[in-house]
């Protein structure tokens, strides 16, 4: 995996609490394979922590009145990520530590109207690695904003899921159009982490 400088893992909107899919009120379509992605994402988080590399968690949240949801209901999606719903909470396997940042957002991009840029500057980040969902919405828009803020971004193709398989594939192609090395796999990330030497990295605490 080709990265430059300090690298930060961004975990985008892995939500749902412990609510079964058939009881989840969040009206967002999603492709199959979530259960297969869980161990991959969990392993990447674990390995970043082992190597003393930052992990930043993102959570989309809206007020019950939906006063802050903007134009998000103009398309396919219905009400989602409502404050107070158990399914809006982070998924059970996502467990931010007290020293890690959990950033709540009101729009698709994790950069828009949040403190993410401040956090990345604090970590002196040059590269961000993205996992989570949806590939074609929040991951894509976060990647585009990372690109426009001059970060290198790497999207873990088997650690993200889209609204449909076609939308997922199209979004990955669009992101690779922006940065030729954007697409990586869990195996690529873990192989890179195997080679990481803590004493060669600039401290990011």
């Amino acid at each position: 995996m080709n990265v430059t400088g300090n690298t930060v893992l961004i975990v985008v909107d892995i939500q749902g609490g412990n609510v079964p899919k058939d009881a989840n009120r969040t009206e967002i379509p999603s492709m199959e394979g979530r259960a297969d992605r869980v161990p991959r994402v969990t392993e990447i988080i674990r390995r970043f922590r082992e190597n003393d590399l930052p992990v930043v968690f993102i959570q989309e949240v809206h007020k019950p009145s939906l006063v802050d949801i903007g134009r998000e209901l103009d398309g396919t999606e219905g009400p989602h990520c409502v404050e107070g719903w158990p399914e809006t909470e982070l998924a059970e396997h996502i467990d931010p530590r007290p020293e890690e940042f959990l950033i709540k957002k009101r729009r698709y991009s994790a950069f828009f109207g949040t403190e993410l840029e401040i956090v990345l500057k604090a970590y002196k980040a040059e590269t961000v690695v993205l996992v989570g969902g949806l590939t074609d919405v929040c991951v894509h828009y976060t990647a585009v904003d990372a690109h426009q803020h001059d970060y290198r971004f790497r999207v873990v193709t088997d650690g993200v899921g889209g609204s449909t398989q076609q939308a997922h594939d199209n979004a990955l192609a669009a992101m690779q159009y922006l940065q030729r090395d954007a697409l990586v796999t869990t195996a690529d990330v873990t192989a890179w982490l195997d080679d990481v030497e803590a004493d060669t990295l600039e401290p990011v605490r």
Side-chain angles (χ1 to χ4, degrees):
M1 184 173 74
N2 181 16
V3 303
T4 300
N6 289 340
T7 302
V8 175
L9 175 65
I10 301 179
V11 181
V12 181
D13 297 356
I14 301 185
Q15 298 172 230
N18 62 356
V19 179
K21 186 176 181 179
D22 58 1
N24 196 315
R25 289 167 289 180
T26 290
E27 298 180 26
I28 297 179
S30 60
M31 61 185 268
E32 298 298 320
R34 181 181 175 109
D36 295 330
R37 292 189 291 273
V38 169
R40 298 181 195 127
V41 170
T42 303
E43 176 66 6
I44 290 173
I45 293 171
R46 184 186 71 80
R47 292 294 309 279
F48 261 72
R49 287 169 170 168
E50 270 188 359
N51 284 281
D52 201 26
L53 296 171
V55 183
V56 176
F57 296 86
I58 309 298
Q59 180 184 17
E60 184 174 342
V61 180
H62 299 288
K63 290 295 185 184
S65 67
L66 302 182
V67 67
D68 57 344
I69 205 165
R71 302 264 60 85
E72 290 191 16
L73 302 183
D74 289 358
T76 299
E77 297 180 355
H80 55 274
C81 300
V82 175
E83 188 175 82
W85 287 6
E87 51 267 53
T88 299
E89 298 306 312
L90 297 179
E92 287 184 295
H93 62 286
I94 301 300
D95 58 338
R97 294 177 174 175
E99 69 273 16
E100 294 170 332
F101 287 94
L102 169 59
I103 296 174
K104 296 187 178 183
K105 64 184 176 70
R106 308 286 173 174
R107 294 292 186 269
Y108 292 137
S109 170
F111 283 89
F112 192 93
T114 76
E115 67 268 36
L116 180 58
E117 177 74 352
I118 293 172
V119 170
L120 294 178
K121 294 296 185 187
Y123 285 134
K124 298 180 174 60
E126 295 183 43
T127 302
V128 296
V129 176
L130 304 176
V131 295
L134 294 173
T135 315
D136 47 312
V137 189
C138 296
V139 171
H140 188 184
Y141 295 172
T142 299
V144 168
D145 276 354
H147 179 76
Q148 294 181 135
H149 282 82
D150 295 328
Y151 295 102
R152 289 175 174 82
F153 68 85
R154 301 293 177 257
V155 181
V156 184
T157 57
D158 55 351
V160 294
S163 57
T164 66
Q165 185 67 53
Q166 181 177 352
H168 168 83
D169 293 340
N170 290 344
L172 292 177
M175 288 184 277
Q176 188 174 39
Y177 180 89
L178 294 178
Q179 294 191 13
R180 69 179 65 87
D181 297 323
L183 305 187
V184 298
T185 65
T186 298
D188 294 329
V189 177
T190 55
W192 170 71
L193 289 166
D194 285 340
D195 292 336
V196 169
E197 296 291 341
D199 61 359
T200 67
L201 293 174
E202 184 176 348
V204 294
R205 293 181 186 276

